[in-house]
Amino acid sequence: MSRIAARFAELRAAGRKALIPYVTAGDPNPSVTVPLMHALVGAGADIIELGVPFSDPMADGEVIQKAHERALVHNVSLRNVLGMVAEFRQTDANTPVVLMGYLNPVEIMGYAEFARAAQAAGVDGALTVDMPPEESHDLIVALREHAIDPIFLLAPTSHQARIRKITGAASGFVYYVSLKGVTGAASLDVSAVAAKLAEIRAETDIPIGVGFGISDAASAAAIAKISDAVVVGSALVRRIGEHAATPEKVAPTLAGLLREMRQAMDAA
Amino acid sequence: MGNLDTSNIDFGAMPTADGHFGPYGGIFVAETLMEPLDELRAAYEEMKNDPAFQAEFDRDLAHYVGRPSPLYHAERWSRELGGAQIYLKREDLNHTGAHKINNTIGQALLARRMGKTRIIAETGAGQHGVASATVAARLGLECVVYMGAVDVERQKLNVFRMNLLGAKVVPVTSGSKTLKDALNEAMRDWVTNVDNTFYIIGTVAGPHPYPAMVRDFQAVIGREARAQCLEQTGRLPDALVACVGGGSNAIGLFHPFLADKDVAIYGVEAAGNGLETGMHAAPLCAGKPGVLHGNRTYLMESPDGQIIETHSISAGLDYPGVGPEHAWLKDIGRANYVAVTDDEAMVAFDSLTRTEGILPALESSHALAYAMKLAPTMAKDKILIVNLSGRGDKDIHTVATIKGIEI
């Protein structure tokens, strides 16, 4: 069983929902990231989603765009990100790590080499935002050869046939984008999300994570009630941005917010 | 590369149903846009085969754009260069001053048929933004144009034109603040407002069906040029030359000639300060394949796969990617891609202006600059068609600055 599947099985047995924080690797500088990952685990993260910096993050809102820009000031490459995961793995063998990014850096490295290096580093899943399953055949083959779960997005615009196609190609979990828009958008309609999740559940048993628009303990708890996992990104990354000049405050600040979310989710 | 036999390829059948030109093209977008792109593809396929839609498009091209644009024999310039006879396809004479309007007319008609009330566009030099604002004004659609903050500064005249036409111009301050970033921002708007919004992409790039759809709207250039050349000279041209940024004017001219295997085809990229300096915008000549803005194509990128900043005197060519059909035509050898520098483009700008009384756009000046190299190598009875994709009025401030003149 993959680390991701094992984690969801444990949570299910305990009647808990997964909390998945997203941070961009190398933001605000490369030395922050690995200690931050450990701090997030300490604050209740079940899976870490680690963003791979890209010059043109088309699906991200301003908050995460700026995070990519801050990381790229330090020329943080996909290889560097894999190095961070390997370092994280030295002291944490259990927390799954999912890479989230755009296709081009993976394309340039080569699918087979990426999958090999990612497995060696201890990566468990890979989500390439701008690569729908239609274009993913070769990458999925490479990832599966190296026991890495291909993670795909589902959206409010995904109709039944696509839901079936995507859940058929995915493993680990699927990531439901809760609204039409980019990361960090404001409004979240919980009942609309619940209706769509019911549609997705009719097609698959794979765990469903929900992201986009979850900004505080209350929204995390509301989404935890209806999903298998809560993904929180921009709310964390915004605070990294606020502490870009005082990086020593990043880990404690984010851990504090995550702890509030964890408590609210577990109490719900 | 360049040695494949292309005589058996059915160019009209490309791209494949899923938008591929060989390994290039495709659909590389986040999931939220897959369904809207599917709707667009279905709507476009329907309109493409709808005589009423085509008749409306043709009527607008004739009476609103002013087509057909002339194919003009630049006799004096040809004589001066001392080689092939150069014919200019006068897209500069179109309404709004460039070829961009052919495509925006087509996409805006499609937007209206799909019931969309709001259009968005990205723009570099501002020509596509002006062309989008123009058709939006005419059809009564709301229009928002994304433009890199750097381009807003260097193309103030076009920003003012768009404002006069009622469009909102949004300066984009992320990344390199140029065309690629404007495209990112337009995509973000589209994914957010997809229910009522039609995204008019200005070039033959982006996810399928854009590269095919924009090409089909622009192919009127090549169809006219082919018929006009036959009518005026009794034969097909020996060579075609067009500038390539994203590549829409070029594919528009080239496409109807692809099966004419004796017609040589040259796409001219922006070499900026020179390919050897790295300060250029020539992905086909000096880049490598990758994925950006919804399609796989040649890109200007770092060894890690980050998109790098481009440089060109011409804002319209200042883009790190290129349409996927050009990438494919390069690999199969049907078209040749070359590059000319800022300085060479300026020489061509002056040369055409002084000998023919035509001020070309700086984009088009790149095609003219290559024609200045190519024509003298050809016999005087050979025919060379250059796509004069736009007029240079928008560039006079840039040209004045280069010449050290304050106006």
Side-chain angles (χ1 to χ4, degrees):
Chain A
M1 196 186 291
S2 75
R3 255 193 294 255
I4 295 174
R7 179 53 51 96
F8 275 105
E10 281 165 36
L11 287 163
R12 214 164 255 186
R16 298 172 77 216
K17 301 300 175 67
L19 177 56
I20 309 181
Y22 165 95
V23 292
T24 305
D27 172 30
N29 70 64
S31 63
V32 166
T33 303
V34 175
L36 175 59
M37 292 167 76
H38 289 302
L40 293 172
V41 173
D46 299 296
I47 296 173
I48 303 271
E49 206 172 87
L50 192 59
V52 180
F54 183 51
S55 53
D56 294 79
M58 260 170 35
D60 285 296
E62 196 183 359
V63 169
I64 292 181
Q65 284 172 50
K66 292 235 163 85
H68 285 248
E69 288 181 11
R70 287 191 294 268
L72 287 174
V73 167
H74 303 283
N75 294 312
V76 174
S77 67
L78 179 53
R79 293 253 176 224
N80 296 147
V81 177
L82 294 175
M84 293 175 194
V85 177
E87 195 186 328
F88 173 77
R89 277 277 167 261
Q90 288 173 6
T91 50
D92 187 330
N94 300 319
T95 307
V97 174
V98 172
L99 296 187
M100 180 171 186
Y102 292 79
L103 179 57
N104 202 49
V106 173
E107 179 108 349
I108 293 306
M109 185 180 284
Y111 297 164
E113 170 58 11
F114 167 67
R116 185 204 62 75
Q119 182 185 31
V123 170
D124 303 288
L127 196 177
T128 40
V129 181
D130 54 347
M131 191 187 216
E134 283 83 347
E135 299 284 357
S136 299
H137 175 267
D138 295 352
L139 180 58
I140 292 173
V141 168
L143 292 175
R144 291 211 189 286
E145 258 173 39
H146 290 277
I148 294 173
D149 287 318
I151 313 290
F152 286 102
L153 300 174
L154 282 167
T157 51
S158 310
H159 54 60
Q160 194 197 25
R162 287 199 62 76
I163 292 172
R164 198 168 289 168
K165 179 187 283 184
I166 291 166
T167 54
S171 57
F173 64 98
V174 290
Y175 184 146
Y176 179 65
V177 172
S178 63
L179 45 84
K180 293 175 193 167
V182 292
T183 51
S187 62
L188 181 64
D189 179 345
V190 176
S191 62
V193 173
K196 195 71 184 182
L197 295 191
E199 251 183 81
I200 299 169
R201 286 223 167 82
E203 300 297 332
T204 183
D205 294 328
I206 195 168
I208 307 171
V210 175
F212 284 38
I214 296 160
S215 57
D216 54 17
S219 49
I223 291 297
K225 275 188 194 162
I226 56 172
S227 70
D228 302 300
V230 173
V231 186
V232 53
S234 295
L236 299 174
V237 173
R238 178 174 293 117
R239 286 164 175 82
I240 298 181
E242 287 164 6
H243 291 293
T246 48
E248 69 284 359
K249 292 190 178 153
V250 166
T253 305
L254 267 59
L257 177 63
L258 208 64
R259 220 169 266 124
E260 286 171 26
M261 291 182 163
R262 177 83 265 171
Q263 283 163 6
M265 286 167 61
D266 290 348
Chain B
M1 275 187 286
N3 299 318
L4 296 173
D5 176 12
T6 60
S7 58
N8 293 324
I9 295 174
D10 180 0
F11 290 98
M14 296 297 278
T16 58
D18 52 3
H20 290 99
F21 297 90
Y24 304 109
I27 304 177
F28 293 90
V29 296
E31 175 60 23
T32 312
L33 288 177
M34 291 302 286
E35 179 69 19
L37 282 167
D38 212 41
E39 277 170 32
L40 175 62
R41 192 159 60 240
Y44 178 60
E45 288 301 322
E46 196 188 321
M47 295 313 151
K48 201 171 144 181
N49 299 310
D50 177 359
F53 179 85
Q54 289 302 329
E56 191 177 7
F57 179 54
D58 290 344
R59 199 163 53 239
D60 281 354
L61 290 183
H63 300 296
Y64 189 70
V65 177
R67 304 203 71 91
S69 67
L71 182 70
Y72 165 70
H73 184 189
E75 284 183 77
R76 184 158 181 246
W77 201 48
S78 303
R79 204 158 51 239
E80 183 151 302
L81 296 174
Q85 300 307 304
I86 299 174
Y87 287 74
L88 303 176
K89 183 58 176 163
R90 298 290 308 275
E91 293 298 302
D92 60 316
L93 294 178
N94 292 341
H95 180 43
T96 72
H99 73 289
K100 293 289 186 187
I101 189 95
N102 303 325
N103 169 49
T104 60
I105 289 271
Q107 289 199 50
L109 290 178
L110 191 56
R112 193 174 61 177
R113 291 231 177 172
M114 290 176 75
K116 305 291 184 185
T117 55
R118 177 174 180 267
I119 64 174
I120 57 171
E122 84 294 338
T123 198
Q127 290 304 103
H128 174 58
V130 167
S132 297
T134 298
V135 296
R138 178 166 173 257
L139 297 180
L141 302 170
E142 183 190 347
C143 181
V144 177
V145 178
Y146 291 93
M147 188 168 186
V150 169
D151 293 333
V152 166
E153 194 48 43
R154 63 180 166 179
Q155 300 286 343
K156 281 181 192 157
L157 189 63
N158 272 341
V159 173
F160 186 56
R161 285 169 82 192
M162 288 184 267
N163 289 333
L164 289 174
L165 289 160
K168 182 179 165 199
V169 178
V170 181
V172 176
T173 55
S174 59
S176 60
K177 306 178 178 63
T178 59
L179 178 55
K180 82 173 173 73
D181 309 286
L183 223 150
N184 291 337
E185 209 55 40
M187 283 279 184
R188 291 178 186 124
D189 179 314
W190 196 34
V191 80
T192 306
N193 301 296
V194 70
D195 293 332
N196 72 343
T197 298
F198 189 104
Y199 179 16
I200 301 188
I201 294 185
T203 191
V204 285
H208 181 60
Y210 283 100
M213 178 169 70
V214 176
R215 173 199 72 197
D216 292 346
F217 289 138
Q218 291 292 2
V220 65
I221 300 171
R223 282 197 304 274
E224 284 177 6
R226 197 171 182 282
Q228 289 165 323
C229 187
L230 286 169
E231 191 189 310
Q232 290 179 32
T233 72
R235 64 185 192 85
L236 289 176
D238 298 285
L240 307 174
V241 179
C243 64
V244 178
S248 70
N249 90 82
I251 211 78
L253 176 65
F254 299 167
H255 198 260
F257 290 95
L258 290 176
D260 299 315
K261 59 181 174 48
D262 295 330
V263 179
I265 294 177
Y266 298 90
V268 186
E269 295 193 304
N273 294 348
L275 293 182
E276 70 290 351
T277 66
M279 298 281 287
H280 59 82
L284 289 168
C285 292
K288 55 185 196 278
V291 173
L292 179 70
H293 293 153
N295 63 125
R296 182 178 283 118
T297 187
Y298 280 83
L299 299 174
M300 304 265 300
E301 57 193 324
S302 75
D304 300 335
Q306 308 296 347
I307 307 308
I308 57 177
E309 291 190 21
T310 51
H311 171 83
S312 172
I313 192 177
S314 142
L317 301 182
D318 212 348
Y319 179 64
V322 62
E325 192 163 10
H326 287 294
W328 177 64
L329 292 174
K330 170 190 161 75
D331 281 10
I332 66 170
R334 179 61 190 98
N336 308 288
Y337 293 90
V338 296
V340 305
T341 63
D342 288 351
D343 291 348
E344 290 169 325
M346 278 305 303
V347 169
F349 175 93
D350 284 332
S351 177
L352 190 78
T353 302
R354 293 292 177 88
T355 56
E356 294 287 351
I358 298 171
L359 259 84
L362 288 176
E363 290 77 14
S364 319
S365 297
H366 286 70
L368 295 165
Y370 190 71
M372 290 177 73
K373 296 182 183 181
L374 186 61
T377 69
M378 298 167 72
K380 286 184 178 156
D381 61 346
K382 299 291 185 189
I383 296 170
L384 179 57
I385 294 180
V386 181
N387 201 7
L388 191 58
S389 55
R391 67 179 182 222
D393 306 49
K394 71 179 171 60
D395 294 315
I396 51 172
H397 283 96
T398 306
V399 171
T401 305
I402 289 164
K403 293 179 185 292
I405 298 162
E406 206 170 310
I407 51 174

